[in-house]
Amino acid sequence: MSLTKQTDQVKQIETGSILTPKGFQAAGIHAGLKRKRKDLGAILCEVPASVAAVYTLNQIQAAPLKVTQESIAVENKIQALVVNSGNANACTGQRGLKDAYTMRHASAQQFNIPEHLVAVTSTGVIGEYLPIEKITDGIKQLEPTSIEGAAQSFNEAILTTDTTTKQTCFQTVIDGQTISIGGVAKGSGMIHPNMATMLSFVTTDAVIDSVELQKALSSITNQTFNRITVDGDTSTNDMAVVMASGLAGNKTLTPNHPDWSSFYEALKLACESLSKQIARDGEGATKLIEVQVNGALNDEEAGKVAKQIVGSDLVKSAVFGKDANWGRIICAIGYSECKINPETIDIAIGSTMTLLQSQPLVFSEEQATAYMTDEDTVVINVDLHVGEGFGKAWGCDLTYDYVRINAGYRT
Amino acid sequence: MSLTKQTDQVKQIETGSILTPKGFQAAGIHAGLKRKRKDLGAILCEVPASVAAVYTLNQIQAAPLKVTQESIAVENKIQALVVNSGNANACTGQRGLKDAYTMRHASAQQFNIPEHLVAVTSTGVIGEYLPIEKITDGIKQLEPTSIEGAAQSFNEAILTTDTTTKQTCFQTVIDGQTISIGGVAKGSGMIHPNMATMLSFVTTDAVIDSVELQKALSSITNQTFNRITVDGDTSTNDMAVVMASGLAGNKTLTPNHPDWSSFYEALKLACESLSKQIARDGEGATKLIEVQVNGALNDEEAGKVAKQIVGSDLVKSAVFGKDANWGRIICAIGYSECKINPETIDIAIGSTMTLLQSQPLVFSEEQATAYMTDEDTVVINVDLHVGEGFGKAWGCDLTYDYVRINAGYRT
């Protein structure tokens, strides 16, 4: 495995996956929900894994989210996670709930584990019933392994209109033991007729209690998964799950552990990596946009301003047009409802300063356009000069293809 | 003037304008900010008019808004309102403020009235200084009249990328006197390089004190101007102004006046008409979308849910694609943060019921598509069944042309 990125304590493992942490197996197959592509997958752990999860804040929650929450509530552990794509099992009432229970039951039988150690999730069309026989037949074919290719099969099985699979892996050393964190995600694509979903699954072999894992995930989610936007629409099925097998042999991680910050940083980098991959693969996107806000009242407000900018259709359209359009950026800052001083705002697009202390600068349009043309990631840097808060957010440009994909008729 | 719409008390005057109420004159000319089209206009009243105004909530407010607020603060009256298009005089610092004062001073001289009776406003490019000599030279050519065509000249002078002028007129009878309410607006168009602005100017000859007029306008704004969205971006220059000449001869209107509700209704209908015209002419729009929400906790929440639906890029794209995509509508309802019951939601698109008590219905896709194809206005009707609240919101579809207009490079 090649090493490509390194902080003091945390290494990125370019070719790592959800199977890099000890104790995990995966599978992905075609069960017949989609026409040809893989549409059913599972992650299985050798042992019941400590688990942490965050769910969509949409008040309309799909049936599998309810069943998964019920599973986790029993002992804060899961051993298997089963996912289908092609159908979200959302807005499907009592029958949908029954189908989600059936999916959980079939998985528990297949893997010979208690039902409450199974999490289920779905992504795809809203408002259509699950083809439950295809699901249960498919589950009988799921035979998770740790061989090369199994992670990739799972990665593929959870996609909807994503154009690429998304995975990440980081390692750090705790108590002299290498611990790994692997992750997979699917992005916000569109399945006819409805919005799909952000799903992220992270595995680790670190020894950690689910309570501490949940605290870490909740905190990190606010800085990573909750900082991306493709179109401002929060799905009914969003879910991020971390499973910790505890097979790495470190002493139990808590915030008092001397290496806690390394673990936290590695988990955060994994979630940030998945978040950026999701945003980059937003529907119709040609660019990843990263907004960095400095000098906000606090970190929370910095994140809020950053997300407001990256969520502005006008800013997104300008990036698509390679237009260093700082007026749209300051406009988004102005309606963010965060503390600002209208006279002290700096804005840079890449290395081009366009506004200093709220005064327009004369800048090279050519240089700015070249930057936005050549780079895959467009970085917008804002300094509000009202405090010490810092935060980032990620999104993508708004393109003709976004409209084409989402105006496409369902049939 | 032809009569086209009538409630019990309020008549719509199809050909009426800002000059229908007694006491108003208007002008619109080409001052040279735009290449060819009119770009400078004025509304002048025979007498100082009671005034009410609402402004953008964006914390970045353009210079003319500050000067106008200063004018109005003196005695809550204005006699002249001068507008330029082509340049927003926003993010222009001290020099921008000085230019706005100069614009006000020149107007006061031209019309021979005190400076504090002049309101000024601008719409167009952000971050460029006003060509102030063109403005002051232009103001000297402004000779407002009440002849036919003068209102149309003004209507044209305030446009940016709007594709049509927008005006409205209603009449009602108060104390045996016909009182008129006329209005003009410009919509959310794009001027390179930046977002333009919602401007609405309403004239009336009703006798009413500015305090009561302000209360009425503020209340009505929440149900009309604040219920439209084209792209979710709140401009730095938004402004709505009502001028009341008091020449209709009615007794002073207050909420205790027996005909108050007729006046309020007429003013509301005028503002609603302008709001819908703005939304219909949103950038790239092919359809007006009206969302009606019934059964919310209260009227405020109904409006919030309606605006959330009409602001969803996914819903807007679906309307462009003529796709009766109720899943996107219920998703937007779910993240509106208003009180809902996930089990009791009804959704209709036109006359096609698609969801009843949160259960998907089998419906005719052909009928729904034909409706969305044939009608200029697509009505989405939602019943939440959690209370008695009712509210409407308006927007437009999201089209390739929206992206084209907003990705277009500034030069």
Side-chain angles (χ1 to χ4, degrees):
Chain A
M1 284 182 286
S2 63
L3 172 71
T4 59
K5 196 175 175 179
Q6 183 147 7
T7 66
D8 285 354
Q9 309 296 336
V10 180
K11 294 189 282 192
Q12 182 169 22
I13 308 299
E14 186 77 5
T15 57
S17 74
I18 47 170
L19 299 186
T20 305
K22 296 188 187 92
F24 292 93
Q25 300 176 313
I29 65 161
H30 172 70
L33 286 85
K34 294 182 190 165
R35 209 147 47 89
K36 281 188 158 179
R37 289 179 302 144
K38 294 192 177 73
D39 49 22
L40 185 70
I43 299 174
L44 184 65
C45 189
E46 287 177 20
V47 294
S50 294
V51 68
V54 291
Y55 308 93
T56 182
L57 296 178
N58 197 310
Q59 292 183 73
I60 310 286
Q61 283 199 352
L65 274 73
K66 295 173 190 167
V67 174
T68 292
Q69 287 169 66
E70 213 178 282
S71 284
I72 291 177
V74 178
E75 54 173 325
N76 291 314
K77 288 183 187 292
I78 61 169
Q79 195 163 354
L81 192 151
V82 178
V83 191
N84 75 273
S85 56
N87 184 313
N89 194 11
C91 302
T92 46
Q94 286 305 309
R95 178 165 157 195
L97 201 58
K98 185 162 162 285
D99 289 343
Y101 281 120
T102 302
M103 188 168 161
R104 183 175 73 161
H105 178 74
S107 304
Q109 283 203 309
Q110 173 70 6
F111 304 133
N112 200 25
I113 56 176
E115 288 196 26
H116 74 265
L117 292 180
V118 177
V120 290
T121 186
S122 302
T123 176
V125 183
I126 283 188
E128 294 188 7
Y129 296 120
L130 271 188
I132 192 65
E133 281 194 21
K134 287 182 182 171
I135 298 270
T136 51
D137 287 351
I139 286 169
K140 288 179 192 152
Q141 300 166 49
L142 284 175
E143 297 185 346
T145 66
S146 54
I147 60 166
E148 206 177 336
Q152 181 60 19
S153 290
F154 178 84
N155 296 354
E156 288 170 15
I158 67 173
L159 302 184
T160 55
T161 53
D162 302 62
T163 65
T164 63
T165 57
K166 297 159 187 72
Q167 70 175 12
T168 192
C169 188
F170 288 86
Q171 289 182 334
T172 187
V173 175
I174 294 177
D175 297 329
Q177 307 294 325
T178 294
I179 75 114
S180 303
I181 295 175
V184 56
K186 73 168 289 287
S188 177
M190 185 74 38
I191 273 286
H192 52 246
N194 287 310
M195 82 296 304
T197 297
M198 195 283 298
L199 294 180
S200 293
F201 307 119
V202 174
T203 58
T204 178
D205 43 18
V207 180
I208 182 170
D209 187 75
S210 63
V211 174
E212 298 302 343
L213 190 60
Q214 183 68 48
K215 282 186 201 161
L217 177 63
S218 297
S219 161
I220 286 168
T221 294
N222 282 333
Q223 301 166 69
T224 56
F225 299 124
N226 288 350
R227 289 281 177 79
I228 57 176
T229 182
V230 171
D231 46 23
D233 284 274
T234 304
S235 158
T236 52
N237 290 47
D238 289 342
M239 185 194 286
V241 178
V242 184
M243 295 169 73
S245 70
L247 299 178
N250 57 290
K251 289 179 200 154
T252 303
L253 279 161
T254 72
N256 297 324
H257 191 293
D259 293 328
W260 172 258
S261 64
S262 294
F263 172 75
Y264 186 92
E265 184 65 15
L267 184 59
K268 184 179 163 187
L269 284 170
C271 294
E272 183 176 308
S273 166
L274 294 174
S275 298
K276 289 162 77 167
Q277 291 179 61
I278 291 167
R280 175 62 186 85
D281 197 29
E283 288 169 335
T286 71
K287 302 278 174 191
L288 174 69
I289 307 175
E290 174 169 304
V291 178
Q292 304 175 353
V293 173
N294 285 280
L297 187 63
N298 51 45
D299 289 355
E300 190 190 336
E301 290 217 351
K304 200 172 161 194
V305 171
K307 197 166 173 185
Q308 197 89 55
I309 294 168
V310 87
S312 158
D313 279 354
L314 292 173
V315 172
K316 290 152 64 78
S317 300
V319 170
F320 178 53
K322 287 132 184 75
D323 180 6
N325 201 323
W326 61 265
R328 295 181 186 174
I329 297 168
I330 197 171
C331 179
I333 293 168
Y335 64 71
S336 69
E337 297 179 2
C338 292
K339 181 173 169 60
I340 64 166
N341 178 341
E343 310 300 331
T344 62
I345 297 168
D346 303 340
I347 297 175
I349 297 169
S351 61
T352 304
M353 283 297 301
T354 61
L355 194 74
L356 188 67
Q357 294 288 307
S358 297
Q359 296 293 322
L361 299 179
V362 176
F363 63 90
S364 163
E365 295 278 356
E366 292 68 30
Q367 178 188 313
T369 299
Y371 168 74
M372 299 172 92
T373 306
D374 298 342
E375 298 295 325
D376 187 67
T377 301
V378 171
V379 178
I380 295 171
N381 212 302
V382 169
D383 199 325
L384 299 176
H385 294 291
V386 294
E388 301 296 319
F390 174 72
K392 291 191 272 191
W394 299 273
C396 57
D397 51 346
L398 177 61
T399 70
Y400 296 117
D401 272 354
Y402 178 87
V403 177
R404 183 184 57 73
I405 293 166
N406 288 309
Y409 195 70
R410 284 167 295 163
T411 51
Chain B
M1 286 185 286
S2 64
L3 173 71
T4 60
K5 194 175 178 180
Q6 182 145 9
T7 67
D8 285 355
Q9 309 296 335
V10 180
K11 294 189 282 192
Q12 183 170 20
I13 308 300
E14 187 76 5
T15 56
S17 74
I18 47 171
L19 299 185
T20 304
K22 296 189 187 92
F24 292 94
Q25 301 176 311
I29 64 161
H30 173 70
L33 285 85
K34 294 182 190 164
R35 208 147 47 89
K36 280 187 158 181
R37 289 179 302 145
K38 293 192 177 72
D39 49 22
L40 185 71
I43 300 175
L44 185 64
C45 189
E46 286 178 20
V47 294
S50 295
V51 68
V54 290
Y55 308 93
T56 182
L57 296 178
N58 196 310
Q59 292 183 71
I60 310 285
Q61 284 199 351
L65 274 73
K66 295 174 190 168
V67 173
T68 292
Q69 287 170 65
E70 213 178 281
S71 284
I72 290 177
V74 178
E75 54 173 324
N76 290 316
K77 287 183 188 294
I78 61 168
Q79 194 163 355
L81 191 152
V82 178
V83 192
N84 74 274
S85 57
N87 184 313
N89 194 11
C91 301
T92 44
Q94 286 306 310
R95 178 164 156 195
L97 201 59
K98 186 165 161 281
D99 288 343
Y101 281 121
T102 302
M103 188 168 162
R104 182 174 76 162
H105 178 75
S107 304
Q109 282 203 311
Q110 173 69 5
F111 303 134
N112 199 23
I113 56 176
E115 288 196 26
H116 73 265
L117 292 180
V118 178
V120 290
T121 187
S122 302
T123 176
V125 184
I126 283 188
E128 294 186 9
Y129 296 119
L130 272 187
I132 192 65
E133 280 195 20
K134 287 182 181 171
I135 298 270
T136 51
D137 287 352
I139 287 169
K140 289 179 190 152
Q141 300 166 47
L142 285 175
E143 297 186 346
T145 68
S146 54
I147 60 166
E148 205 175 340
Q152 182 60 20
S153 291
F154 178 84
N155 295 355
E156 289 170 13
I158 67 172
L159 302 184
T160 54
T161 53
D162 303 60
T163 65
T164 62
T165 56
K166 297 158 186 73
Q167 71 174 11
T168 192
C169 187
F170 288 86
Q171 288 183 334
T172 187
V173 175
I174 293 177
D175 298 327
Q177 307 294 325
T178 294
I179 75 113
S180 303
I181 295 175
V184 55
K186 73 168 289 287
S188 175
M190 187 75 37
I191 274 286
H192 51 247
N194 288 309
M195 81 296 302
T197 297
M198 194 283 299
L199 295 180
S200 292
F201 307 118
V202 174
T203 57
T204 178
D205 44 18
V207 179
I208 182 169
D209 186 75
S210 62
V211 174
E212 299 302 344
L213 191 60
Q214 182 68 46
K215 282 185 201 161
L217 176 63
S218 296
S219 162
I220 287 167
T221 294
N222 282 333
Q223 300 166 70
T224 55
F225 299 124
N226 287 350
R227 288 280 177 81
I228 56 176
T229 181
V230 171
D231 47 23
D233 284 273
T234 305
S235 159
T236 50
N237 290 46
D238 289 343
M239 187 194 284
V241 178
V242 184
M243 296 169 73
S245 70
L247 299 178
N250 59 291
K251 289 181 201 152
T252 303
L253 280 160
T254 73
N256 298 324
H257 191 292
D259 293 328
W260 172 259
S261 65
S262 294
F263 172 76
Y264 186 92
E265 184 66 15
L267 184 58
K268 184 179 163 188
L269 285 171
C271 293
E272 183 175 309
S273 166
L274 294 174
S275 298
K276 289 163 77 167
Q277 291 179 62
I278 291 167
R280 177 62 185 84
D281 197 28
E283 289 169 333
T286 72
K287 302 278 175 192
L288 175 68
I289 306 176
E290 174 169 304
V291 178
Q292 304 175 354
V293 173
N294 285 281
L297 186 64
N298 52 45
D299 289 354
E300 190 190 336
E301 290 217 351
K304 201 172 159 193
V305 172
K307 197 167 173 185
Q308 196 90 55
I309 295 168
V310 88
S312 159
D313 279 354
L314 292 172
V315 172
K316 290 152 64 81
S317 300
V319 170
F320 178 53
K322 288 132 183 74
D323 180 6
N325 200 325
W326 60 265
R328 295 180 185 174
I329 297 169
I330 197 171
C331 179
I333 292 168
Y335 63 72
S336 69
E337 297 179 1
C338 292
K339 182 174 169 59
I340 64 166
N341 178 343
E343 310 300 329
T344 63
I345 297 168
D346 302 342
I347 297 175
I349 298 169
S351 61
T352 304
M353 283 297 301
T354 61
L355 194 75
L356 189 66
Q357 295 287 306
S358 297
Q359 296 293 323
L361 299 178
V362 176
F363 62 90
S364 163
E365 295 277 357
E366 293 67 31
Q367 180 189 314
T369 300
Y371 168 73
M372 298 171 93
T373 306
D374 298 343
E375 297 296 324
D376 187 67
T377 301
V378 171
V379 177
I380 295 171
N381 212 303
V382 170
D383 199 325
L384 298 177
H385 294 291
V386 295
E388 301 295 321
F390 175 73
K392 290 191 272 189
W394 300 273
C396 57
D397 52 346
L398 177 61
T399 70
Y400 296 116
D401 272 354
Y402 177 86
V403 178
R404 184 185 56 72
I405 293 166
N406 287 309
Y409 195 69
R410 284 168 293 163
T411 50

